[in-house]
Structures are given as structure tokens and as C-alpha cells.
């Protein structure tokens, strides 16, 4: 082979984009892969209980749209989304206290795509995004891929600290604030109405967008609902509200929604055209049919009842399962409990030993954009029955006691 040809053959391929190289895999997804064995009782993933899916109702909805209008259901569709589905979502949002028209809504391929579209439409490399600390892991991935500089805002047991938000916003001049104010992932915390009002006022005064993520709001077990941040004075013209069907119907549908001011919504439509043209036509049509003929509220009442029992089983057993000196919360809804082990424990280092006992959790450290708390743990209570939760907590107690003795 001539030297010139050999040299060409040995030329390395170009490197990955810097944003791809700097953005790591989700630790939660990695842990799920490690704990996929059926004998593992996993508190790690935020996986809705599959036995609670309304599989028959969803199957009927798919059967109807495929039988009655297959040519439309299987065809390309508009980027904005199925008009009937958008109208149904708007009606539910209005009923929950946020007046919404169908044209205010963009259907997305899961709510996570909605956040990606917002990042594309709003962020230039180097722009500052403020996040709760700790924060939803996938959001950190999205902002990293967008080239944003992520700045954490301190939280306490009631969520985001508005005074800290105001001080950091004045110093950092952010473009966007990302929050999950209701049953937050990973902590399960809910921001009070007073703090929501403060967040809206700060955003208006400091001139920043708000991405309000609400995948868990309809999973409330107790207490009164708190209005969306988007409904408070100052937030109306600067809040993008993300919704999801994953927790109220089924995650396999991959359906989400984005409610945003007109100019931002149009920019997100263009970003969606570049991403995937439109969300699955047949999935949207089936969801629209389901919302028309099924009683989603009755279904959600059954789900909430089951999840309440599972939360109580987990929270009630933690005093026995976790070492003395541990702390945890009791969320009023959602899917997660946030716990901290006593000083000196490292939840990440302990995880391999825990998994060897056929139980799992997610260490809290990866959720922090700032200094991580090595003692923090996220526990999901929705996937397993109360009896399985009790068995899992027994295994966790054994694993932690054994690891402590060895240490």
C-alpha cells in the first residue's frame, strides 16, 4: 500500500463535540441497569407501578382510533400536536386554576423533550441557568448539552430559598430558572404558595424565564393543591409549564406538554420540527380518545390511594431500616422520599454492598449541581407493594449494618 494511502487510512476520526464529552450518563439509568434482576427490590427508579396502569382502557383507545380513523392515526401530523389532545389538556389545566386555550399547548415526546426544546429556544453557550440544589438529573444533562453554566440555588425542607434566589440572580444575571415546585425530584418537597409568589416576583424583577416542571402535581395524597408558579403575578409572561402523561397514564406513551407564551412556544415548535417533526400521531390520538371516554380522575384516585399506602409503608419503616441519626421527610404526594444518613456514611460507597443484598436506592450526590451531600439518598416508594417495601427495608437494614461493621 502506498505511504500516502496508508497515512490517510490511519487518520483518526474527529473527536466528539465537547458538550457530548462533558455530559455524563445518568447515574439513575445506570443503577436501573444494575438492578434489573427480578429478585431485586429497588427503591432506585421513579417507575410508576405497572399493575396500576389502565391497560384495558388504553388498549380500547388505541383500538378505537385504529378502527375508526386509521389513515389519520398512522399519518404524519402537525408539529404542534393533535388538536383534540391539546384541547383536553387545556381544559384540565383550566380546571386546575390556570386558564389555558388549546393553542397555548405544544405536545411533546415526553415532558423531558419539552425541557430540551426550551433549552434550544432560550440558551446560548455560556448562558446561566439557575436550578434547585439538589436538582432533577436529566435537567442537568440537558443544560450541559446546551452549553449552559448551571448555578445551584440553596434549598431547605420547604424547597427553594427565595432570598438566596434573589441574591444569586442579581449576581449571576441568569437567563432561566428551572424548578419542580410540587413533589420535587429528588426530594419530594413542595414549595409553599408564599415562596411561589416570591419566585414569580423575583423572576419578573430580575428579568429571567421560568421553566416550571410538573410531572407529579396530580399525585397528591393529602393537603390542598398549591397553584402553579405560572399563575402568580409576574410569572404569567415568562413561565413555560411542562406537563407529562407518564405518571398519570403510562410512561410508555412518551407524551408530554408544554404551555408557554406565544413567542417562546413558536420557537419551541421550530426546535421540535428540527428534532422529530412531531410526536407519535397514533399515541396522541389514543390519549385524546382516552381523555374523552375514560374517567382519568377516577383512575388517578385509585393510583393515589395505592401510592399513599406505599409511602406510608416506606416512611413508617425507615426508623428501623436506617441507622440512628438518619433524617427523612414525609412528602404529601409524588414518588420520592429524601433521606440523609448520619455523618460519616457515604451512600455512593455503600451502594455495591446494598445491591448485593438484592435491594437498591439512588445515592443523592449526583443530584447536586453544587457541593454534594454524600449522606443523601433518594428512595422511590411507588413501584413495589407495601409487603415488598417491608421486605426491601429489611434487606437494606441488614446491608447497612453489615457495611458499617466491616467499615
Amino acid at each position: 500500500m502506498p505511504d500516502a494511502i496508508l497515512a490517510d487510512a490511519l487518520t483518526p476520526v474527529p473527536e466528539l463535540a465537547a458538550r457530548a464529552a462533558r455530559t455524563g450518563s445518568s447515574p439513575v439509568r445506570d443503577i436501573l441497569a444494575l438492578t434489573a434482576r427480578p429478585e431485586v427490590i429497588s427503591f432506585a427508579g421513579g417507575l410508576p407501578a405497572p399493575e396500576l396502569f389502565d391497560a384495558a382502557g388504553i388498549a380500547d383507545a388505541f383500538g378505537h382510533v385504529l378502527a375508526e380513523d386509521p389513515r389519520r392515526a398512522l399519518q404524519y401530523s402537525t408539529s404542534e400536536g393533535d388538536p383534540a389532545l391539546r384541547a383536553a389538556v387545556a381544559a384540565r389545566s383550566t380546571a386546575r386554576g390556570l386558564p389555558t386555550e388549546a393553542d397555548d399547548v405544544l405536545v411533546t415526546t415526553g415532558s423531558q423533550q419539552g425541557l430540551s426544546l426550551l433549552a434550544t429556544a432560550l440558551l446560548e453557550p455560556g448562558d446561566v441557568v439557575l436550578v434547585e440544589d439538589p436538582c432533577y438529573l436529566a435537567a442537568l444533562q440537558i443544560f450541559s448539552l446546551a452549553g449552559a453554566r448551571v448555578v445551584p440555588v440553596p434549598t431547605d425542607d420547604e424547597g427553594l430559598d427565595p432570598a438566596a434566589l434573589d441574591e444569586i440572580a442579581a449576581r449571576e444575571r441568569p437567563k432561566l430558572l428551572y424548578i419542580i415546585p410540587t413533589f420535587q425530584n429528588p426530594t419530594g418537597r413542595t414549595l409553599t404558595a408564599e415562596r411561589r409568589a416570591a419566585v414569580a416576583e423575583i423572576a419578573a424583577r430580575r428579568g429571567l424565564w421560568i421553566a416550571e416542571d410538573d410531572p407529579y402535581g396530580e399525585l397528591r395524597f393529602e393537603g390542598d393543591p398549591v397553584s402553579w408558579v405560572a399563575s402568580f403575578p409576574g410569572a404569567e409572561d415568562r413561565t413555560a409549564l411542562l406537563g407529562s402523561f407518564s405518571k398519570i397514564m403510562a410512561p410508555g406513551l412518551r407524551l408530554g406538554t408544554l404551555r408557554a407564551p406565544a413567542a417562546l412556544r413558536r420557537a419551541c415548535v421550530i426546535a421540535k420540527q428540527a428534532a422529530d417533526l412531531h410526536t407519535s400521531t397514533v399515541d396522541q390520538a389514543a390519549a385524546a380518545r382516552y381523555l374523552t371516554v375514560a374517567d382519568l380522575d377516577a383512575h388517578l384516585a385509585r393510583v393515589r390511594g395505592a401510592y399513599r399506602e406505599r409511602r406510608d409503608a416506606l416512611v413508617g419503616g425507615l426508623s428501623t431500616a436506617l441507622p440512628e441519626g438518619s433524617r427523612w421527610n414525609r412528602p404529601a404526594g409524588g414518588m420520592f422520599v429524601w433521606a440523609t444518613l448520619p455523618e460519616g456514611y457515604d451512600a455512593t460507597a455503600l451502594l455495591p454492598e446494598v445491591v448485593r443484598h438484592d435491594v437498591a436506592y439512588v445515592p443523592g450526590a449526583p443530584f447536586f449541581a453544587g457541593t454534594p451531600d454524600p449522606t443523601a439518598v433518594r428512595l422511590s416508594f411507588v413501584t413495589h407493594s407495601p409487603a415488598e417495601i417491608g421486605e426491601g427495608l429489611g434487606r437494606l437494614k441488614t446491608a447497612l449494618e453489615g457495611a458499617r461493621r466491616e467499615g
Side-chain angles (χ1 to χ4, degrees):
M1 179 181 295
D3 290 344
I5 296 177
L6 180 60
D8 288 342
L10 296 178
T11 300
V13 297
E15 294 181 355
L16 296 175
R19 60 180 176 272
R22 70 170 172 262
T23 303
S25 175
S26 166
V28 175
R29 309 305 299 183
D30 296 341
I31 290 170
L32 290 179
L34 291 173
T35 60
R37 293 178 286 115
E39 64 270 24
V40 175
I41 296 176
S42 178
F43 302 121
L47 304 179
E51 71 275 14
L52 298 177
F53 296 154
D54 184 8
I58 294 172
D60 286 345
F62 273 97
H64 177 86
V65 300
L66 288 171
E68 296 296 319
D69 198 1
R71 293 186 178 185
R72 183 184 71 86
L74 299 175
Q75 185 56 278
Y76 285 114
S77 185
T78 61
S79 298
E80 289 82 358
D82 185 305
L85 181 57
R86 296 166 71 201
V89 170
R92 289 187 68 83
S93 298
T94 300
R96 291 177 63 191
L98 186 63
T100 303
E101 301 293 333
D103 285 346
D104 297 331
V105 177
L106 167 65
V107 178
T108 60
T109 306
S111 65
Q112 192 161 314
Q113 186 193 50
L115 187 58
S116 294
L117 298 178
L118 287 172
T120 299
L122 290 175
L123 300 176
E124 303 285 357
D127 280 344
V128 173
V129 177
L130 303 185
V131 300
E132 302 159 300
D133 204 29
C135 175
Y136 175 46
L137 273 173
L140 298 178
Q141 288 181 306
I142 288 168
F143 299 140
S144 175
L145 285 170
R149 184 164 65 88
V150 176
V151 176
V153 178
T155 61
D156 58 24
D157 289 343
E158 295 183 349
L160 190 78
D161 180 347
L165 171 65
D166 194 26
E167 186 274 326
I168 293 170
R171 183 181 72 241
E172 300 289 348
R173 302 179 64 84
K175 175 76 71 69
L176 175 68
L177 167 67
Y178 172 72
I179 51 174
I180 306 177
T182 305
F183 313 135
Q184 194 242 14
N185 183 358
T187 65
R189 298 165 177 162
T190 295
L191 206 60
T192 64
E194 292 76 16
R195 291 196 179 193
R196 293 177 193 227
V199 167
E201 187 277 329
I202 292 165
R205 177 162 45 83
R206 298 296 184 188
L208 61 147
W209 288 98
I210 302 171
E212 179 179 9
D213 204 350
D214 184 40
Y216 313 107
E218 294 195 81
L219 299 180
R220 176 174 287 278
F221 314 147
E222 58 198 38
D224 296 325
V226 187
S227 298
W228 282 301
V229 173
S231 68
F232 283 87
E236 307 96 326
D237 65 342
R238 63 188 62 247
T239 302
L241 177 63
L242 298 161
S244 175
F245 286 91
S246 292
K247 311 306 185 294
I248 63 174
M249 285 178 62
L253 291 170
R254 302 312 303 136
L255 290 174
T257 57
L258 171 61
R259 179 193 185 276
L264 177 56
R265 189 176 63 256
R266 284 193 296 269
C268 289
V269 169
I270 294 171
K272 183 167 177 60
Q273 290 169 355
D276 66 356
L277 298 183
H278 63 84
T279 295
S280 166
T281 310
V282 66
D283 288 357
Q284 291 188 72
R289 171 69 181 177
Y290 184 89
L291 292 174
T292 300
V293 301
D295 190 341
L296 178 59
D297 290 327
H299 169 68
L300 283 172
R302 291 190 293 272
V303 171
R304 286 192 292 262
Y307 286 180
R308 181 189 301 111
E309 291 180 353
R310 297 173 188 208
R311 178 210 56 187
D312 291 347
L314 179 65
V315 171
L318 286 176
S319 60
T320 301
L322 298 184
E324 184 178 354
S326 300
R327 296 180 67 249
W328 56 88
N329 59 351
R330 185 179 184 275
M335 302 174 71
F336 305 110
V337 166
W338 187 246
T340 53
L341 304 176
E343 185 176 354
Y345 281 79
D346 186 323
T348 301
L350 289 168
L351 183 60
E353 178 63 21
V354 169
V355 172
R356 278 195 287 273
H357 285 76
D358 291 334
V359 66
Y361 55 70
V362 175
F367 294 95
F368 288 86
T371 303
D373 180 353
T375 72
V377 172
R378 191 192 75 174
L379 299 158
S380 176
F381 51 81
V382 299
T383 308
H384 296 286
S385 69
E388 290 170 329
I389 289 171
E391 171 64 23
L393 289 175
R395 297 177 188 179
L396 181 60
K397 172 183 172 64
T398 300
L400 292 176
E401 287 179 345
R404 192 61 174 172
R405 284 195 298 270
E406 292 176 7

